[in-house]
Amino acid sequence: MTNKTNKKEKIPSRFLLTKFNLTARLLVGAYLLYTSYSLIEGVVNGEGRDKYFLGVFMAAFAVIGILMMLFAGRSLLQGKYVGGEMDAGEEEERAEGLQKEEGAQEQAAIEENAERRE
């Protein structure tokens, strides 16, 4: 069973990237796409193995650049960054932590009672 997050469900801050990080990924993806475009001349005018190596790198740069741009752009548009629409903030993190602590305390109390009965 997989744990899929609902689009309206907020995500704790510690699992989100910063807006700058996503913007940098978007720019790096664009640069890889530009580099891929720049390699076209080498593929067309290349000879022997050079032609094939440049073709492989051109395709790899294009695919990686497009994927980076798509994922970073999608996260930016959906607000999946610290301070964005999907950010739950630290309050929910603290609430989750308190619930876990309370659950652990209750479990310890149950175990103590079970030991006393024995």
Side-chain angles (χ1 to χ4, degrees):
M1 184 179 206
T2 60
N3 185 13
K4 295 182 180 178
T5 58
N6 189 357
K7 287 187 177 183
K8 294 181 180 179
E9 187 176 323
K10 296 195 178 224
I11 303 168
S13 293
R14 66 175 175 230
F15 298 119
L16 295 174
L17 298 171
T18 62
K19 192 172 185 179
F20 176 78
N21 193 325
L22 290 172
T23 305
R25 287 182 183 195
L26 190 67
L27 292 174
V28 168
Y31 180 72
L32 285 173
L33 200 58
Y34 167 75
T35 304
S36 173
Y37 176 75
S38 298
L39 289 175
I40 290 176
E41 184 179 332
V43 172
V44 173
N45 297 331
E47 296 178 6
R49 288 185 176 176
D50 292 342
K51 187 176 196 173
Y52 298 113
F53 283 125
L54 289 176
V56 168
F57 284 115
M58 183 182 77
F61 285 177
V63 168
I64 293 169
I66 289 171
L67 288 176
M68 284 183 75
M69 289 174 62
L70 286 176
F71 286 120
R74 182 186 67 185
S75 294
L76 281 170
L77 291 175
Q78 291 178 349
K80 288 185 178 180
Y81 53 86
V82 176
E85 294 176 18
M86 300 292 283
D87 187 10
E90 295 180 12
E91 294 175 6
E92 283 193 21
E93 291 178 26
R94 290 182 191 148
E96 288 175 7
L98 290 175
Q99 288 175 351
K100 287 179 183 178
E101 287 177 16
E102 290 174 0
Q105 290 173 353
E106 289 177 11
Q107 184 65 29
I110 291 171
E111 289 175 2
E112 282 182 27
N113 287 337
E115 288 177 7
R116 289 180 187 169
R117 289 182 186 170
E118 293 176 357

